[in-house]
Amino acid sequence: MNGIAENINYFNEKLPQEVTLVAVSKTKPAEDVQTAYDAGHLDFGENRVQEMVEKYEALPKDIRWHQIGHLQKNKVKYIAPFIHLIHSVDSESLLKEINKQALKQERIILCLLQISIADEETKFGMEQEEAQRILATYESNFPFVKIVGLMGMATFTEDESQIRNEFRTLKTFFDQLKTQNPELKTLSMGMSGDYEIAVEEGSNMIRVGSSVFGERNYQ
């Protein structure tokens, strides 16, 4: 089990200081998260709300939980009391629900807009125009939500130049938005298979699971 701590240390040494590692703990037991936490790690990502809630209840309360998978509106209320950052806001209607649940909890919930960059129908995300429109109006409409950046997922392909181009497209858009929206600080892109390219292309938050916790066993 000490492999997890070694992997955390490896990333701490390897990643530039400004890049945050979100250790993706989906399908992994709470004990594995505790091991990474004991090695000094605080940022953990989950796809499924129910699994995150169970781990939240079992683990130290200073852990920063990241919702990285597609989020259904009817599940927002379960994570609203404690979520640190929602990466996967892919529609204005989801933002509206997050605002509603944040109001009930009397807290502001940090969010990233998920932008569609991949050449795949299966990936969620909004178009750039929609993101621009939301950013222009959301603060008055949704005062309990704060958009702090963007997230994107590259195409699942062996073609590194395609992956690089998709990340570069998102970084260009991020830089463009930042001129009007200086509160945008986080660019979440890169996973176990492509995080090195993502960091080279300007990502400052990566979502890595198997390289930290080992391969997943999906039941």
Side-chain angles (χ1 to χ4, degrees):
M1 284 309 292
N2 65 347
I4 294 172
E6 286 163 7
N7 292 339
I8 291 288
N9 292 334
Y10 167 80
F11 276 102
N12 286 343
E13 287 169 15
K14 177 176 180 170
L15 289 174
Q17 205 171 352
E18 70 275 7
V19 178
T20 300
L21 168 68
V22 177
V24 179
S25 45
K26 63 178 184 181
T27 79
K28 295 296 181 181
E31 298 83 64
D32 287 8
V33 178
Q34 184 71 52
T35 301
Y37 175 86
D38 291 341
H41 198 71
L42 291 177
D43 291 276
F44 295 91
E46 290 285 336
N47 274 39
R48 289 176 61 247
V49 164
Q50 186 185 348
E51 195 178 337
M52 187 196 290
V53 170
E54 286 168 5
K55 287 177 186 167
Y56 166 76
E57 286 168 358
L59 287 157
K61 292 300 172 273
D62 58 339
I63 284 176
R64 296 189 287 257
W65 291 102
H66 298 248
Q67 172 66 30
I68 61 169
H70 181 62
L71 180 58
Q72 293 168 302
K73 290 197 278 285
N74 62 350
K75 299 278 177 67
V76 174
K77 59 180 177 276
Y78 300 113
I79 60 172
F82 67 87
I83 190 73
H84 173 66
L85 180 63
I86 298 174
H87 290 230
S88 48
V89 176
D90 55 7
S91 69
E92 191 165 20
S93 60
L94 176 57
L95 205 60
K96 183 179 180 182
E97 180 63 25
I98 295 168
N99 184 73
K100 177 180 152 187
Q101 298 301 334
L103 168 61
K104 287 183 186 172
Q105 299 296 329
E106 298 183 339
R107 64 185 297 246
I108 289 173
I109 294 181
L110 305 180
C111 296
L112 306 179
L113 297 181
Q114 183 173 354
I115 309 298
S116 172
I117 55 170
D119 189 20
E120 289 173 71
E121 289 300 307
T122 52
K123 297 258 186 354
F124 294 96
M126 61 178 72
E127 297 303 317
Q128 292 187 4
E129 298 72 29
E130 188 183 354
Q132 285 171 310
R133 188 177 56 73
I134 288 172
L135 276 167
T137 58
Y138 88 93
E139 286 178 322
S140 51
N141 297 340
F142 310 129
F144 289 86
V145 168
K146 187 167 175 58
I147 297 172
V148 294
L150 305 178
M151 185 268 258
M153 296 170 75
T155 305
F156 187 69
T157 173
E158 297 291 307
D159 182 353
E160 287 196 1
S161 63
Q162 182 179 349
I163 294 168
R164 192 175 292 282
N165 284 335
E166 289 170 356
F167 286 149
R168 191 168 292 171
T169 299
L170 187 56
K171 175 67 163 74
T172 302
F173 182 52
F174 177 70
D175 289 343
Q176 180 192 329
L177 288 178
K178 259 192 352 188
T179 57
Q180 264 82 46
N181 307 273
E183 71 278 7
L184 299 181
K185 301 270 196 285
T186 302
L187 183 56
S188 170
M189 54 185 200
M191 306 194 301
S192 282
D194 57 21
Y195 73 86
E196 287 165 311
I197 301 174
V199 169
E200 286 169 14
E201 293 302 329
S203 171
N204 61 14
M205 185 173 280
I206 60 170
R207 311 176 302 276
V208 173
S210 50
S211 301
V212 173
F213 294 107
E215 292 306 315
R216 282 194 195 90
N217 38 8
Y218 290 103
Q219 300 306 334

